[in-house]
Amino acid sequence: MCSSRFALVGSFSALFLLPRPDAHGGFVQSYQATGNVGLYSSAVSTNSPNSISGSFNLSQLPSGATIQKAFLYTADWWQGSQPQVQLTINTQPVAVTPATASDTPIGPLSFPTLTSYRWDLTTALSLLPPAPFLFSITSTQSNPQLTAASLMIVWSDPSAPLSTVTIVDGAQQVGELTQTSPPTSDTESINFTGLPAGSTALTLFTVSDDPFGTGETVRYNGGTNHGPLDGNLGNVASLLQFSDTSVAGSNGLVITSSQDYFGWVASASVVTPAAAVPEPGSLTLLAIGMLGSLVGLRRRRQQ
C-alpha cells in the first residue's frame, strides 16, 4: 500500500472499516480529433493536499497554433458528502464543474471514494496570450486530498503532420485489491477506439501514487513495460509520457499494481501514421512503359 497515501488520509483511518456499497468507476473516450493536430500535456503536484496551485505555460504550444480543445483535470478522495472543487485562473473564478466520474473501491476493505473533475477551458485559454498563466484549485471538504492537476491541450497547426489525438478520462482506483498474503495484484485498463495504425505518443495521469510502493507495470497492447510510475511529479502523482505503436481500431492501455494504491484520472494518445507512398498513376505507368520500349529498341539496333 502507498505509505504517503495513508499519511495524507490519516484522519480518515478510523472510517476505513465502515461498510460501503460496492461500486466501480471507469473511463469514457471523451474526445477525438484527426487532422494537423498535436497534444500538449503537463501537470503540477503538491505535498500539501489542502489545495493545488501553480502555473501552466501556453508558450509551449507551437507558435501560431490554435487551441482546439483544452481540459484541466484534478481528483479528490472523500468519505461522507461528495465535495465540490473551485478553480481560479489568474485569480478569476471559473464556473464550478460537476464531478466527471467517481469510483468507490471494491474488495474487502473500505477506502475513500475517488472523484475526478474536468474543466473544459477551450474558450478561456484561447483568449489568453501565449505565456504562463496561474491557477488554483480548492475543495469544499474539510480534509481535502487534492494531490495534482493536469492540463491537456489539443492544438492544430497547418504545418503539423496528419495525426489522430484521443483523450480518455474518468476515475479508476488502482491497487485496492492488492494484498501481501497471498500476494495479489490489481489490473485496470482503458481502450482507445477508432485509431489508425502508426507511431503513438501516450500520456498517463495518476494521483496519489508514490515511489515507496513501486513495481507498477504499464503496457500498451500487451507490449513493452513502460512502468513503474514512482510518483514522478514528486511523491504524490505521476504524468507518465512514452512512445509505442498502435494498430488500426481498438488499443488497450493497462496498469498493474502489486504494492501501490492510487487513482487513474486520464490518458491520451497521439497517433501519427507513416506517410503513405502514392501509387503510380496511369500516365506514370504509360511513361515508364514507353521508356522501357525505347531502351529495348535501342539495344536491338546496337546488336
Side-chain angles (χ1 to χ4, degrees), residues 50-275:
N50 293 327
S51 63
I52 307 168
S53 60
S55 66
F56 292 109
N57 192 350
L58 295 181
S59 65
Q60 298 298 312
L61 276 62
S63 178
T66 300
I67 294 177
Q68 190 158 316
K69 181 62 68 174
F71 288 141
L72 180 66
Y73 296 94
T74 195
D76 201 358
W77 303 82
W78 57 276
Q79 289 185 324
S81 299
Q82 180 174 306
Q84 289 186 326
V85 293
Q86 177 65 61
L87 168 68
T88 62
I89 294 179
N90 292 337
T91 72
Q92 298 299 312
V94 177
V96 173
T97 183
T100 304
S102 289
D103 181 20
T104 298
I106 59 176
L109 299 178
S110 186
F111 295 112
T113 294
L114 171 70
T115 295
S116 64
Y117 301 86
R118 184 192 70 200
W119 291 266
D120 187 335
L121 300 180
T122 308
T123 301
L125 298 189
S126 296
L127 300 176
L128 294 180
F133 68 89
L134 302 176
F135 77 93
S136 176
I137 301 174
T138 57
S139 173
T140 58
Q141 71 163 315
S142 59
N143 191 8
Q145 305 299 316
L146 299 169
T147 61
S150 178
L151 178 65
M152 296 189 185
I153 298 179
V154 181
W155 51 263
S156 61
D157 188 292
S159 64
L162 181 67
S163 302
T164 296
V165 179
T166 307
I167 297 176
V168 178
D169 50 39
Q172 188 71 64
Q173 300 199 24
V174 184
E176 78 267 35
L177 297 179
T178 63
Q179 59 185 41
T180 57
S181 181
T184 59
S185 60
D186 184 20
T187 297
E188 305 293 350
S189 64
I190 65 173
N191 283 320
F192 296 96
T193 62
L195 301 190
S199 177
T200 305
L202 291 129
T203 298
L204 188 158
F205 174 55
T206 56
V207 298
S208 300
D209 58 287
D210 61 36
F212 307 109
T214 186
E216 305 91 357
T217 63
V218 179
R219 299 184 188 274
Y220 189 61
N221 292 330
T224 302
N225 176 22
H226 299 283
L229 299 176
D230 283 354
N232 64 31
L233 287 174
N235 291 330
V236 290
S238 289
L239 185 71
L240 187 66
Q241 297 170 310
F242 57 94
S243 297
D244 213 303
T245 303
S246 294
V247 298
S250 180
N251 294 257
L253 181 60
V254 175
I255 300 179
T256 298
S257 177
S258 59
Q259 299 182 55
D260 205 354
Y261 167 46
F262 54 93
W264 191 358
V265 177
S267 288
S269 67
V270 183
V271 184
T272 306

Side-chain angles (χ1 to χ4, degrees), residues 282-294:
S282 57
L283 290 177
T284 303
L285 292 174
L286 178 60
I288 293 174
M290 293 177 64
L291 180 59
S293 299
L294 290 173

